[in-house]
Amino acid sequence: MDIGKVDQEEIAARVKRLQSRLIQEGVDGFLVTQHVDLYYFTGSMQAGYAFIPAEGEAVFYVRRSLERAEQESAIAVEAMSSLRGFRAQLAGGHPSVFGGDVAAAGKPIKIATEMDVLPAATFAKLAEITAGGQRGCSLIDGSSLIRSVRMIKSPWEVGRIEAAATVVAEALDAALPILKEGISELELMARIEYEMRIRGHIGLMRTRSYNMEIMTGMLGSGAAVAMPSAFDGPAGGLGLGPAAPQSASRKTILRNEPVLIDIGCCIDGYVIDQTRTAVIGGLSDELAAAYAQSERIIRHAEQLMIPGTACDAIYAASLEDAAAAGLAGHFMGFGTGQVKFLGHGIGLEVDEWPVLARGFGNPLEPGMVLAVEPKFTFPGSGVVGIENSYLITDDGCRQLTKSSEGLIVL
Amino acid sequence: MDIGKVDQEEIAARVKRLQSRLIQEGVDGFLVTQHVDLYYFTGSMQAGYAFIPAEGEAVFYVRRSLERAEQESAIAVEAMSSLRGFRAQLAGGHPSVFGGDVAAAGKPIKIATEMDVLPAATFAKLAEITAGGQRGCSLIDGSSLIRSVRMIKSPWEVGRIEAAATVVAEALDAALPILKEGISELELMARIEYEMRIRGHIGLMRTRSYNMEIMTGMLGSGAAVAMPSAFDGPAGGLGLGPAAPQSASRKTILRNEPVLIDIGCCIDGYVIDQTRTAVIGGLSDELAAAYAQSERIIRHAEQLMIPGTACDAIYAASLEDAAAAGLAGHFMGFGTGQVKFLGHGIGLEVDEWPVLARGFGNPLEPGMVLAVEPKFTFPGSGVVGIENSYLITDDGCRQLTKSSEGLIVL
């Protein structure tokens, strides 16, 4: 278990970064409720709530397992009382936030929490509980605070992502020999998943968005993977039926059709995301040209990925590159199925900040990790493209993906 | 894809059952937002919202993919306008709820939604949008309405759960030959998962509870699986580290220690949940006796599971049975790690209603499907037990689990 344990200083630095943001925004504290955020700020994913005051010591209030939280957590751990008694427990632990002397000031307390993931019923209950004091308390949305703090990765986190990159690369190499004409998408995906799992993949890539599921990526072939889907990505796939309407289907893989292998895994909590395109035989000229263009777009993006470049500028450049090749209508999906981004942050979740999309004018910063995935969709024929993950460094970017590049021709 | 497609009459009956509950409770309509609930009430899991008025036609407002929703949905499908325009679209589609003539009555509209899963931020946005009309509108919690409607399964749904039971049974049989001294828990679990996946498991068992993850169950051996955990179940397991602190670990499986194989899968959206205990060599007398007692408890529960029996009475009986064998302190976990239930509903999610627990006084009804899981935890030694899933019939219960029973001795 030691490999996954997060050290004290790492956690202390994360807490401090959140605290300085809280002070900046005039927020008195953060009530952390989501298991992934709890892991990020405590080093433990046991059940409970962590309270991080703008100033002072953070405490992890644990429902279960207290014993494991005490082993894992880098911040103070306390057994959580009943939910009814939680307000009093917070007041006792954080008198500078909830205590009597500040009450004199008369200003209501402002506590942030993750309204982007916390269910409305639990939010309402927590708002009622925290409001219990004399000063009153408003529970506000701190989703963007959390997301912006988590957006910048530490060297330790980059190491975890690289470990995940190694697992995906090894798993793909181990599974590819079974890719032969006549096997199903599901058979290929199941084998890749097995190879990732025995190497330590936790079983799913966690997501932040409501209703979004990506256990191990999106794999599909020919017309099936070019189907439009609910998934907010360029290629959702056909899936196993209406109750699992994305990724691998039972469709048989044929000669001369592209096989899109968009896969990832989660090692020690951190995900990687990559795409390679394979074909048994060869691609049509049209698809081969589109694949080549996807490599050109990712090369161009690599040049642009330096600290200071605005995220939307990289997306805009990719749109221009696609249009220049006469492929604007096929880029990142087709027709109403087109999605409006080129890449996305990855870390503990697969849908992190920043996003390479219109409207994201914020500049790249060292420590960001992004998956960049130019793809072209041809209804009835398939999807081709490439995806690598990158760390933004002080003067450019460094590729974290380890699989060799180029169309895989079998 | 035809196997998974839900027929029109099935969906119509579900919508009608929700509608009669809405009328009973004086609620004007239900705004369905969660992907699993959308699948249940439309037959499609595409992205969007469904509106089910207390009286009148239900409509699925789809963001993407409209094309797939039109193929899959058994209720009317309409392209969803922008979120800003959604209030007007609802008013146009459901004048009897949102329309002007009823406005004269002056009573604010009451719309239910799934506050148990819907994130607080989206809830707040939807509340703001729906409040836009002249009458005003309050968005209230309809979680229990949904859960109680989904609690009673149709014969078609039971068929899906039985299909999942067959897959788990086949996968366990196919994987068991690799269970030898010296392999790791992870190797065994990865193989079981592979065997389920190639048979159509969608990759995870969906859950309703915040922060709960159960991809394929909980597998563990000896002292590792007896560790307390955050998981709200009798045996969470050690897991792969603090970022995945449950189920299989890298621990090696030894002779004469129990291997708890609590596994499930999801076929066509429906889950099954079962537990078998295995051992290489033999169990100590203490563990063997506890295992035998778990079988006695499940036999007793089978006798009690007839329509009309209160859920908490079955839980109480299991506590008595455990105490009678001198095992009260080991039942369903140990010490502060004990959980306070014997079984739980399963269906599209693994944590459905009803729950066999104190405080659940509601009587069993035909059509309920429950996983019943008596287990005994011995810190330092392991967990033993059994779990079967059952359908409540008109005059008793029918076992859906297909794996043969008894301790698996290798």
Side-chain angles (χ1 to χ4, degrees):
Chain A
M1 275 176 68
D2 281 348
I3 296 168
K5 194 160 159 70
V6 191
D7 80 32
Q8 206 109 8
E9 279 177 40
E10 173 90 17
I11 298 287
R14 295 174 186 176
V15 168
K16 211 173 154 188
R17 279 168 56 219
L18 180 65
Q19 288 181 316
S20 62
R21 291 298 308 270
L22 291 172
I23 292 169
Q24 253 174 48
E25 309 270 338
V27 179
D28 298 292
F30 206 111
L31 185 64
V32 184
T33 70
Q34 191 221 23
H35 65 332
V36 174
D37 292 334
L38 286 170
Y39 175 67
Y40 184 79
F41 286 112
T42 73
S44 172
M45 214 174 237
Q46 299 301 311
Y49 300 121
F51 185 75
I52 301 175
E55 290 172 275
E57 200 195 8
V59 179
F60 186 12
Y61 297 96
V62 175
R63 280 188 296 112
R64 58 182 293 175
S65 151
L66 186 66
E67 185 185 331
R68 285 177 80 157
E70 280 167 347
Q71 287 167 28
E72 296 165 351
S73 177
I75 71 169
V77 167
E78 216 175 280
M80 189 177 156
S81 65
S82 66
L83 204 52
R84 208 181 303 166
F86 190 44
R87 178 64 174 71
Q89 193 173 17
L90 283 172
H94 312 277
S96 69
V97 177
F98 295 96
D101 28 336
V102 191
K107 226 176 60 177
I109 307 163
K110 241 162 97 178
I111 304 296
T113 192
E114 309 109 316
M115 285 182 67
D116 60 341
V117 289
L118 182 64
T122 313
F123 176 81
K125 193 164 281 180
L126 288 172
E128 193 191 313
I129 286 164
T130 48
Q134 291 179 316
R135 282 173 68 190
C137 173
S138 61
L139 210 52
I140 62 163
D141 193 5
S143 312
S144 60
L145 284 177
I146 290 257
R147 298 191 77 155
S148 57
V149 167
R150 281 183 37 196
M151 183 167 68
I152 307 299
K153 273 73 183 176
S154 72
W156 184 85
E157 291 185 283
V158 174
R160 298 303 91 211
I161 297 171
E162 289 190 279
T166 300
V167 167
V168 169
E170 287 178 6
L172 182 58
D173 286 347
L176 267 182
I178 74 156
L179 176 48
K180 294 203 163 62
E181 203 181 337
I183 73 159
S184 72
E185 294 174 3
L186 180 59
E187 285 172 280
L188 178 59
M189 190 57 151
R191 183 56 178 269
I192 292 170
E193 288 171 350
Y194 173 79
E195 298 291 348
M196 296 196 298
R197 186 74 166 121
I198 53 168
R199 289 168 172 83
H201 171 48
I202 71 166
L204 87 168
M205 298 161 81
R206 296 186 175 111
T207 57
R208 202 160 182 94
S209 304
Y210 187 47
N211 289 340
M212 186 184 271
E213 293 170 352
I214 313 175
M215 281 73 81
T216 49
M218 301 292 160
L219 184 147
S221 61
V225 73
M227 287 272 293
S229 88
F231 181 68
D232 187 19
L238 182 57
L240 294 170
Q246 64 182 31
S247 193
S249 76
R250 288 197 171 80
K251 175 190 169 295
T252 288
I253 296 171
L254 306 176
R255 274 187 80 76
N256 305 325
E257 67 179 7
V259 184
L260 193 78
I261 307 174
D262 181 349
I263 51 173
C265 72
C266 179
I267 300 291
D268 297 333
Y270 286 84
V271 305
I272 187 78
D273 195 4
Q274 73 167 50
T275 302
R276 294 294 181 263
T277 305
V279 63
I280 304 162
L283 293 181
S284 69
D285 290 349
E286 186 183 35
L287 294 186
Y291 177 77
Q293 190 62 14
S294 74
E295 287 204 349
R296 268 179 231 119
I297 291 174
I298 212 165
R299 293 288 93 80
H300 191 186
E302 286 168 359
Q303 288 165 15
L304 296 173
M305 284 196 287
I306 50 174
T309 307
C311 291
D312 54 6
I314 301 171
Y315 177 61
S318 72
L319 286 181
E320 277 171 36
D321 291 345
L327 290 166
H330 299 265
F331 188 52
M332 303 304 283
F334 185 81
T336 55
Q338 279 185 314
V339 295
K340 310 237 173 289
F341 68 89
L342 175 70
H344 53 91
I346 59 169
L348 289 169
E349 291 164 318
V350 76
D351 51 347
E352 296 205 1
W353 284 2
V355 184
L356 301 181
R358 198 169 288 146
F360 283 77
N362 55 318
L364 292 180
E365 294 173 57
M368 289 176 172
V369 175
L370 292 121
V372 181
E373 49 176 327
K375 288 170 188 158
F376 292 98
T377 300
F378 297 84
S381 304
V383 180
V384 295
I386 184 168
E387 176 178 32
N388 288 328
S389 294
Y390 300 90
L391 167 69
I392 306 300
T393 61
D394 287 340
D395 56 359
C397 67
R398 178 160 70 81
Q399 185 176 318
L400 303 179
T401 305
K402 314 236 186 261
S403 287
S404 55
E405 290 199 5
L407 186 69
I408 300 166
V409 182
L410 303 164
Chain B
M1 276 175 68
D2 281 348
I3 297 168
K5 193 161 158 70
V6 191
D7 80 32
Q8 206 107 9
E9 280 177 40
E10 173 89 18
I11 298 286
R14 296 174 186 177
V15 168
K16 211 172 155 189
R17 279 168 56 218
L18 180 65
Q19 287 180 317
S20 62
R21 291 297 308 272
L22 291 172
I23 291 169
Q24 253 175 45
E25 309 270 337
V27 179
D28 298 292
F30 205 111
L31 186 64
V32 184
T33 69
Q34 191 221 22
H35 64 331
V36 173
D37 293 334
L38 286 170
Y39 176 67
Y40 184 79
F41 286 113
T42 73
S44 172
M45 214 175 238
Q46 299 301 311
Y49 300 120
F51 186 76
I52 301 176
E55 290 172 274
E57 200 195 8
V59 178
F60 186 12
Y61 298 95
V62 176
R63 279 189 295 113
R64 57 182 292 175
S65 151
L66 187 66
E67 186 185 330
R68 285 176 79 156
E70 280 167 347
Q71 287 167 28
E72 296 165 351
S73 177
I75 71 169
V77 168
E78 215 173 281
M80 189 177 156
S81 64
S82 66
L83 204 53
R84 207 181 304 165
F86 190 44
R87 176 64 174 72
Q89 193 173 17
L90 283 172
H94 312 277
S96 68
V97 177
F98 295 94
D101 28 336
V102 192
K107 225 176 60 178
I109 308 164
K110 241 162 95 180
I111 304 296
T113 192
E114 309 110 316
M115 285 182 67
D116 61 341
V117 289
L118 182 64
T122 314
F123 175 80
K125 194 165 280 180
L126 288 171
E128 191 192 316
I129 286 164
T130 49
Q134 291 181 317
R135 282 172 68 189
C137 174
S138 61
L139 210 52
I140 62 164
D141 193 5
S143 312
S144 60
L145 285 177
I146 290 257
R147 298 191 77 154
S148 58
V149 167
R150 281 181 37 194
M151 183 166 69
I152 308 298
K153 273 73 183 176
S154 72
W156 184 85
E157 291 185 284
V158 174
R160 297 303 91 211
I161 296 170
E162 289 190 280
T166 300
V167 167
V168 169
E170 288 178 6
L172 182 59
D173 286 348
L176 266 182
I178 74 156
L179 177 49
K180 295 202 162 62
E181 203 182 337
I183 73 158
S184 72
E185 295 173 4
L186 180 59
E187 285 171 281
L188 178 59
M189 190 57 150
R191 183 56 178 269
I192 293 171
E193 289 171 351
Y194 172 78
E195 296 292 347
M196 296 196 298
R197 186 73 166 122
I198 54 168
R199 289 168 172 84
H201 171 47
I202 71 166
L204 89 169
M205 299 162 80
R206 295 184 174 113
T207 57
R208 202 159 182 94
S209 304
Y210 186 47
N211 287 342
M212 186 183 272
E213 293 170 351
I214 312 175
M215 281 73 82
T216 49
M218 299 294 159
L219 184 147
S221 61
V225 72
M227 287 274 293
S229 87
F231 181 67
D232 188 20
L238 182 58
L240 293 171
Q246 63 181 32
S247 194
S249 75
R250 287 195 171 82
K251 175 190 169 296
T252 287
I253 296 172
L254 306 176
R255 274 187 79 76
N256 305 324
E257 67 179 9
V259 184
L260 193 78
I261 307 173
D262 181 350
I263 51 172
C265 71
C266 179
I267 299 291
D268 297 333
Y270 287 84
V271 305
I272 188 77
D273 195 4
Q274 74 167 49
T275 302
R276 294 296 181 261
T277 304
V279 63
I280 304 162
L283 292 181
S284 69
D285 290 349
E286 186 183 35
L287 294 187
Y291 177 76
Q293 190 62 14
S294 74
E295 286 203 351
R296 269 179 229 117
I297 291 173
I298 212 166
R299 292 288 93 80
H300 191 186
E302 285 169 359
Q303 287 166 15
L304 297 173
M305 284 195 287
I306 51 174
T309 307
C311 291
D312 54 6
I314 301 171
Y315 176 61
S318 73
L319 286 181
E320 278 171 33
D321 291 345
L327 291 166
H330 300 266
F331 188 51
M332 303 304 282
F334 185 81
T336 54
Q338 280 186 313
V339 295
K340 311 237 174 287
F341 69 88
L342 176 70
H344 53 91
I346 59 169
L348 290 170
E349 290 163 320
V350 77
D351 51 347
E352 296 206 359
W353 283 2
V355 184
L356 301 182
R358 197 169 288 144
F360 283 77
N362 55 318
L364 292 180
E365 294 174 55
M368 288 176 172
V369 175
L370 292 121
V372 182
E373 49 176 328
K375 287 170 189 159
F376 293 98
T377 300
F378 297 85
S381 304
V383 181
V384 294
I386 184 169
E387 176 179 31
N388 288 327
S389 294
Y390 300 90
L391 167 70
I392 307 300
T393 61
D394 287 340
D395 56 0
C397 68
R398 178 161 71 81
Q399 184 176 319
L400 303 179
T401 305
K402 314 238 187 259
S403 288
S404 56
E405 290 198 6
L407 186 68
I408 301 166
V409 181
L410 302 164

